[in-house]
Amino acid sequence: MNFRILAKVLGLLLLLLSVSMASCGIFAKLDSVAGDHEAMVALFTSAAITAFVGTILVLGGLGKIERIPRREGVMIVGLGWVLSSIFGSLPFIICPPHLTWGSAFFETASGITTTGSTVIGDLSQWPRGILLWRSVTQWLGGVGILVLFVAVLSYLGVGTKSLFRNESSFQSGEATTARIRDTALTLWKIYAGLTVICALGLRGMGMTWYHAISHSMTAVSTGGFSPHNASVGFYSAWGNSALIEFWLSLFMLICSLNFLIIAVILSKKWQRIRSEDDAKWFFGICLFVALGIAAGLTLDPRYSVDFWQAFRESWFIVISIASTTGFGTVDYGLWPAWCKALLAILMVIGGCSGSTAGGMKVSRFLVFLKSSAHEVIRAFRPNQVFRLVVNGNPMDDDARARTTSFVALYLLIIALGSVVVGILEAGVGIDLETCLGAVLATLSNIGPGFGALGPTSNFADLREVTQVFLAGLMILGRLELFAILVLFVPAAWKRF
Amino acid sequence: MNFRILAKVLGLLLLLLSVSMASCGIFAKLDSVAGDHEAMVALFTSAAITAFVGTILVLGGLGKIERIPRREGVMIVGLGWVLSSIFGSLPFIICPPHLTWGSAFFETASGITTTGSTVIGDLSQWPRGILLWRSVTQWLGGVGILVLFVAVLSYLGVGTKSLFRNESSFQSGEATTARIRDTALTLWKIYAGLTVICALGLRGMGMTWYHAISHSMTAVSTGGFSPHNASVGFYSAWGNSALIEFWLSLFMLICSLNFLIIAVILSKKWQRIRSEDDAKWFFGICLFVALGIAAGLTLDPRYSVDFWQAFRESWFIVISIASTTGFGTVDYGLWPAWCKALLAILMVIGGCSGSTAGGMKVSRFLVFLKSSAHEVIRAFRPNQVFRLVVNGNPMDDDARARTTSFVALYLLIIALGSVVVGILEAGVGIDLETCLGAVLATLSNIGPGFGALGPTSNFADLREVTQVFLAGLMILGRLELFAILVLFVPAAWKRF
Ligand SMILES: [K+]
Ligand SMILES: [K+]
């Protein structure tokens, strides 16, 4: 392990974090709403502490870095998300009404990982500057995952590598550092552009700049934090609430697609979408589930809604869940069990690789589905040759085994995570649905869960140790398991 | 598709079923307890109908069968279990107090698949002859799965094939028909022997012959039907209840192990158990979970039990669930959520391949665990060569992909099955835990589920269509998915 590289890169990360905090501090300073003095102090203090530690790390790791070896890269990713969550939590700890250390870590990890679960029961008790920082953590988390996708996941494998190979811009041999930087910059531009367009639209629909930008940042990052206690449901009293919901659902949908493909399409190669199984399946599944739930709610005598009202509600919730954003309008906790089970499946699947969405990713789900379908055929045609193609890329047996392994591991972590949550919360009568919902909501970076942790509730009543455990699951899920699991392998830490 | 082969083999199967029914009819005739005249009539009538249809099929398929081709073999297995469940349900339909067609199919499928879920709320309303038939279906189902393991699953693959290869008795080239018959006979002898020993023990502990044989047949088949409403909990008032529970847990445990390995060990090759990862892991997991739950219950202030009482309770329930038997003593529905989540994981894993137990099987779980562990290592050591060995057999990438695919498919079916149960039961306020429990209990051939379908309850309140769906899941799970899924592939039916 080359600790010099680790120190330098992580130090730079903290400096970036510090600048972002200071920017929110400036907003708090300029903001006319009362009570933001405390927010400003908290944000500047946090920025100073973070900058101090970041500077020490950078100085400790001075020197030119030619390239980051694989093992160091994996470690940087895991530690980067953990450190960001620790230092990013300072404003919540310093500013009244104060969060405890564990809760603040949960809230920040929930931001940095674009999860959106919250331990804050009443957001109106917190100054706007802090809530802006809360939204900014999600936006930064979204940038982080896109850069990570380009720079690290490209050689981490599991379904993302093959995607790279097929893009014409990556056809010519190995991806060089310059090429990686260019690609990351392109994706960042798309991300920033989408944020601006979304915010302008929301502003046009009558939101204040503050609310428009807050919701825009957490929509394109599929984060789902809102400065309102009622989330997007706050706007349901407005005359144009349907438009606001549609606008947000549009951006949640776009940002669940592979940003590399968006880049290709933006360069006028429209036909590229045709070979993009991910996007087609993602959209198809969302539409199918939304229509199914709408039909079910219309037919169910306990829900007296007409079909279009039901579809409007189910569409927003389905997109919000499938994109792993977690914005809330209606309380899906009141829907029948089968609707919740469908939402749980969407939570597991998540969005497309290369998006800001979480979950185990559509492409893995496709590999697994196609692989399973073949096994059925092979039961009576044992010698049939099996050629697995996803997004136009053929996969060999090893890649197939790795992907299905990932799917099964993901599901095992959900099951074991539920056990741990149940053990940590033992004695308070937590039910199985709530345990499962808590793990799904955090591991897949959704936000709201089921049962006592449903969309109208929050994670404040959990024990602090449970909150920290769930925060760990957020990071584990956000980094697609391996970058975090590696941290627990002693051999990975060995200096060589 | 060669329909002649299908007709002949399925016809012989029905004749065997008919003989078994008639035997129960003779018991009903000889039994001194009142009201068994109706049972006798029902059983003889059912035997006659079944024998009639079976004879027609056999006549339709006359001629010598050299060998059963793979495709026909798979079809016979799927249809065999379905037909047995249909014809085996006749006694429940004919005999008062009568079950409806759907419920009778559920009850019989639950028997034939050794599941043990029941739609009969009060067993005391049914004559002993019918309840004996109910237990016999499980015992026959256990024979069936052992024969199937030897004769068909050997070339169906997915983890069982490699096991065969390694056994010295199968080393010499291909398994001939004679060898398959010999092996099947050996396993049947072990199975019958275990049944006799178990029954003698129970008789010695004070049960009547009727109850001893009933419980013995459903213990060694890991079926779990009991003629008592309170299941094995009926005996908790007895002074030697601990001994009865231990005796039953011993046979449930043995019958969750690979019968081929039991055969090898019985031929004095004790050292063979050393390379048997399945058995070691199965026992280890059971002991670990039982100790964990016992400790948890002892420490939990809401359960005032001492450790040994708690361990006695948790040991029996854990073995009962892990072996997929489903005998009940205490109501695990009252345990904390994390205990239920652990039991749910045991339900998914199930017993060892080649046993009478259900679930996705320990060996698949091991392949998946080892495969996942390697992926973590490979995140930073991409070029490390991965050699996967389970039960002393190396597995290639294809076998690994197929196994992990199976694991993921199994879990997907659990998720989608829960959705379907929720939809079918919509409008009656069924909760997510109950939906999930119903699918787990049936797909893994456990018996009791969670929530409203827990160990003290039954499946009688479900709609008939839900019961038929769950019966389908039992057969799907019992035949390890593929033999049933194949029935839905049009190409498999094509005559060639
Ligand atoms: K989210
Ligand atoms: K069972």
Side-chain angles (χ1 to χ4, degrees):
Chain A
M1 183 55 50
N2 187 329
F3 289 104
R4 200 179 57 76
I5 295 181
L6 247 66
K8 181 164 178 187
V9 177
L10 292 174
L12 288 172
L13 181 71
L14 289 187
L15 290 180
L16 173 72
L17 208 65
S18 167
V19 171
S20 310
M21 278 178 192
S23 310
C24 289
I26 293 171
F27 164 82
K29 169 78 181 161
L30 300 176
D31 194 27
S32 54
V33 177
D36 256 14
H37 178 71
E38 283 169 333
M40 187 193 72
V41 173
L43 285 162
F44 281 137
T45 312
S46 309
I49 296 172
T50 309
F52 177 73
V53 178
T55 309
I56 290 179
L57 283 175
V58 170
L59 292 177
L62 264 189
K64 189 164 160 53
I65 296 173
E66 285 297 326
R67 52 176 280 284
I68 301 174
R70 185 192 183 92
R71 200 167 60 156
E72 279 69 14
V74 176
M75 297 296 256
I76 285 170
V77 169
L79 292 175
W81 253 263
V82 173
L83 281 185
S84 304
S85 303
I86 292 172
F87 285 90
S89 70
L90 292 174
F92 298 108
I93 297 168
I94 297 170
C95 183
H98 308 295
L99 287 181
T100 58
W101 286 87
S103 297
F105 179 69
F106 177 95
E107 195 74 13
T108 317
S110 178
I112 295 286
T113 60
T114 77
T115 303
S117 308
T118 185
V119 290
I120 299 179
D122 185 4
L123 292 164
S124 65
Q125 292 183 347
W126 287 80
R128 281 154 52 110
I130 299 291
L131 295 185
L132 182 69
W133 167 242
R134 187 167 165 267
S135 302
V136 166
T137 56
Q138 295 207 319
W139 195 79
L140 291 175
V143 174
I145 207 67
L146 290 178
V147 171
L148 175 64
F149 172 70
V150 176
V152 179
L153 285 187
S154 65
Y155 63 87
L156 256 182
V158 195
T160 48
K161 195 177 175 184
S162 58
L163 196 148
F164 262 102
R165 282 205 213 104
N166 206 44
E167 289 316 310
S168 52
S169 53
F170 284 91
Q171 289 289 28
S172 49
E174 228 172 64
T176 62
T177 316
R179 162 122 333 144
I180 287 175
R181 202 188 300 118
D182 285 356
T183 312
L185 200 64
T186 307
L187 298 202
W188 183 82
K189 279 181 192 160
I190 296 172
Y191 183 71
L194 286 169
T195 314
V196 170
I197 298 169
C198 182
L200 288 175
L202 292 175
R203 179 75 183 99
M205 290 167 205
M207 286 191 193
T208 64
W209 277 118
Y210 168 72
H211 288 110
I213 293 172
S214 291
H215 284 108
S216 165
M217 287 196 299
T218 57
V220 296
S221 62
T222 67
F225 273 152
S226 165
H228 302 299
N229 285 330
S231 188
V232 177
F234 177 86
Y235 299 100
S236 55
W238 288 22
N240 62 350
S241 61
L243 183 62
I244 293 177
E245 289 174 18
F246 175 74
W247 186 250
L248 284 171
S249 76
L250 187 67
F251 283 87
M252 293 192 279
L253 191 61
I254 292 173
C255 294
S256 310
L257 306 180
N258 189 332
F259 273 67
L260 272 181
I261 303 301
I262 298 178
V264 173
I265 290 173
L266 284 181
S267 59
K268 300 241 174 67
K269 289 175 188 146
W270 295 99
Q271 74 287 0
R272 178 62 183 81
I273 193 82
R274 284 215 201 129
S275 64
E276 193 58 16
D277 297 338
D278 280 31
K280 287 187 286 188
W281 273 80
F282 181 75
F283 187 75
I285 291 172
C286 287
L287 194 63
F288 180 77
V289 172
L291 284 172
I293 290 179
L297 293 182
T298 312
L299 294 173
D300 200 312
R302 289 175 306 166
Y303 305 87
S304 52
V305 284
D306 67 83
F307 179 78
W308 290 109
Q309 177 62 25
F311 181 68
R312 180 187 148 186
E313 292 177 0
S314 71
W315 173 257
F316 187 83
I317 294 295
V318 163
I319 295 294
S320 175
I321 293 294
S323 69
T324 74
T325 309
F327 277 144
T329 49
V330 296
D331 180 7
Y332 61 72
L334 303 174
W335 289 356
W338 63 270
C339 297
K340 289 194 268 182
L342 276 177
L343 290 182
I345 294 175
L346 293 182
M347 287 181 177
V348 174
I349 299 176
C352 304
S353 296
S355 73
T356 57
M360 70 178 195
K361 304 292 177 299
V362 179
S363 55
R364 291 204 184 89
F365 183 68
L366 284 183
V367 169
F368 146 61
L369 271 193
K370 291 183 181 188
S371 187
S372 301
H374 182 81
E375 289 311 318
V376 175
I377 308 282
R378 197 144 62 165
F380 65 95
R381 278 187 189 154
N383 300 321
Q384 185 159 330
V385 176
F386 182 26
R387 197 165 161 274
L388 183 69
V389 178
V390 172
N391 294 336
N393 299 297
M395 294 186 84
D396 62 11
D397 282 342
D398 183 46
R400 186 161 63 95
R402 297 178 76 176
T403 309
T404 50
S405 218
F406 181 95
V407 172
L409 182 62
Y410 200 86
L411 297 169
L412 181 75
I413 289 174
I414 291 172
L416 289 180
S418 303
V419 175
V420 174
V421 170
I423 291 176
L424 294 176
E425 290 292 308
V428 297
I430 195 171
D431 62 32
L432 205 54
E433 185 180 335
T434 305
C435 294
L436 187 68
V439 173
L440 276 176
T442 49
L443 185 70
S444 283
N445 305 125
I446 311 289
F450 293 113
L453 299 172
T456 58
S457 187
N458 60 67
F459 291 67
D461 291 336
L462 296 179
R463 292 183 178 136
E464 213 167 340
V465 58
T466 315
Q467 293 173 356
V468 172
F469 174 74
L470 291 174
L473 285 187
M474 294 176 197
I475 302 176
L476 185 67
R478 176 77 290 187
L479 303 180
E480 314 211 335
L481 311 187
F482 298 116
I484 288 298
L485 292 178
V486 160
L487 296 180
F488 295 97
V489 180
W493 287 93
K494 215 167 60 184
R495 187 187 280 270
F496 66 138
Chain B
M1 183 54 51
N2 187 329
F3 289 103
R4 198 178 60 75
I5 295 180
L6 247 66
K8 180 162 177 187
V9 177
L10 293 174
L12 288 173
L13 181 71
L14 289 186
L15 290 180
L16 173 71
L17 209 65
S18 166
V19 171
S20 309
M21 279 179 194
S23 309
C24 290
I26 293 169
F27 164 81
K29 169 78 182 160
L30 300 178
D31 194 26
S32 55
V33 177
D36 256 16
H37 178 70
E38 284 167 335
M40 185 193 74
V41 172
L43 285 162
F44 280 138
T45 311
S46 309
I49 297 172
T50 310
F52 178 73
V53 177
T55 308
I56 290 179
L57 283 175
V58 170
L59 292 177
L62 264 190
K64 190 163 160 51
I65 296 172
E66 284 296 325
R67 52 177 281 281
I68 300 174
R70 186 192 184 93
R71 199 165 61 155
E72 279 69 12
V74 176
M75 298 295 257
I76 285 170
V77 168
L79 292 175
W81 251 264
V82 173
L83 281 185
S84 305
S85 302
I86 291 173
F87 284 91
S89 70
L90 292 174
F92 298 107
I93 297 169
I94 296 170
C95 184
H98 307 295
L99 287 182
T100 58
W101 286 87
S103 297
F105 179 69
F106 178 95
E107 195 74 13
T108 317
S110 179
I112 295 286
T113 60
T114 75
T115 303
S117 308
T118 185
V119 290
I120 299 178
D122 184 6
L123 292 163
S124 64
Q125 292 184 346
W126 287 81
R128 281 155 51 113
I130 299 291
L131 294 184
L132 182 69
W133 167 241
R134 189 168 163 265
S135 302
V136 166
T137 57
Q138 294 206 320
W139 195 78
L140 291 175
V143 174
I145 207 67
L146 290 177
V147 171
L148 175 64
F149 173 70
V150 176
V152 180
L153 285 186
S154 64
Y155 62 86
L156 257 183
V158 195
T160 48
K161 195 176 175 183
S162 60
L163 196 147
F164 261 102
R165 281 205 212 105
N166 206 44
E167 289 317 310
S168 50
S169 53
F170 284 90
Q171 288 290 29
S172 49
E174 228 172 65
T176 61
T177 315
R179 162 122 335 145
I180 287 176
R181 202 188 302 118
D182 284 357
T183 312
L185 199 65
T186 307
L187 299 202
W188 183 82
K189 279 182 193 159
I190 295 172
Y191 183 71
L194 286 171
T195 312
V196 170
I197 297 169
C198 182
L200 287 176
L202 292 175
R203 178 77 183 95
M205 290 167 204
M207 285 193 194
T208 64
W209 278 116
Y210 168 73
H211 289 111
I213 293 173
S214 291
H215 284 107
S216 164
M217 287 196 297
T218 58
V220 296
S221 62
T222 68
F225 274 151
S226 165
H228 301 299
N229 286 329
S231 188
V232 176
F234 176 86
Y235 299 101
S236 55
W238 288 23
N240 63 348
S241 62
L243 183 62
I244 292 176
E245 289 174 19
F246 174 75
W247 186 249
L248 284 171
S249 76
L250 187 67
F251 283 86
M252 293 192 279
L253 191 62
I254 293 173
C255 293
S256 311
L257 305 180
N258 189 330
F259 273 67
L260 273 181
I261 304 301
I262 297 178
V264 173
I265 291 173
L266 284 180
S267 59
K268 300 243 174 68
K269 290 173 188 149
W270 294 98
Q271 74 287 0
R272 179 61 183 82
I273 194 80
R274 287 218 199 128
S275 63
E276 194 58 17
D277 297 338
D278 279 32
K280 286 187 286 188
W281 275 81
F282 181 76
F283 187 75
I285 292 172
C286 287
L287 193 63
F288 181 77
V289 172
L291 285 171
I293 290 179
L297 293 182
T298 312
L299 294 172
D300 200 312
R302 289 176 304 165
Y303 305 86
S304 51
V305 283
D306 67 83
F307 180 78
W308 288 109
Q309 177 63 24
F311 181 68
R312 179 186 150 187
E313 291 176 2
S314 71
W315 172 257
F316 187 82
I317 294 293
V318 163
I319 294 294
S320 175
I321 293 292
S323 69
T324 74
T325 309
F327 278 144
T329 48
V330 295
D331 179 7
Y332 61 72
L334 302 174
W335 287 358
W338 63 269
C339 297
K340 288 193 269 182
L342 276 177
L343 291 182
I345 295 175
L346 293 182
M347 287 181 178
V348 174
I349 299 175
C352 303
S353 298
S355 73
T356 58
M360 70 179 196
K361 304 293 177 297
V362 179
S363 56
R364 292 205 183 88
F365 183 68
L366 284 182
V367 170
F368 147 62
L369 271 193
K370 291 184 179 185
S371 188
S372 302
H374 182 81
E375 289 311 316
V376 175
I377 307 282
R378 198 145 61 164
F380 65 96
R381 277 186 191 156
N383 301 320
Q384 184 158 330
V385 176
F386 182 25
R387 198 166 160 273
L388 184 69
V389 178
V390 172
N391 293 337
N393 299 297
M395 294 186 84
D396 61 14
D397 282 340
D398 181 49
R400 186 161 62 97
R402 298 178 75 175
T403 309
T404 51
S405 217
F406 181 95
V407 172
L409 183 63
Y410 200 85
L411 298 169
L412 181 76
I413 290 174
I414 291 172
L416 289 180
S418 304
V419 174
V420 174
V421 170
I423 291 178
L424 295 176
E425 291 291 309
V428 298
I430 194 171
D431 62 32
L432 205 54
E433 184 179 334
T434 304
C435 294
L436 187 69
V439 173
L440 277 175
T442 50
L443 185 71
S444 284
N445 306 125
I446 311 289
F450 293 113
L453 300 171
T456 59
S457 187
N458 60 67
F459 290 67
D461 291 336
L462 296 179
R463 292 183 179 137
E464 213 168 340
V465 57
T466 316
Q467 292 174 355
V468 172
F469 174 74
L470 291 175
L473 286 186
M474 294 176 195
I475 302 176
L476 185 67
R478 176 77 291 187
L479 303 180
E480 313 210 337
L481 310 188
F482 297 117
I484 287 298
L485 292 178
V486 160
L487 296 181
F488 295 97
V489 179
W493 287 93
K494 215 166 60 183
R495 187 188 279 270
F496 67 138

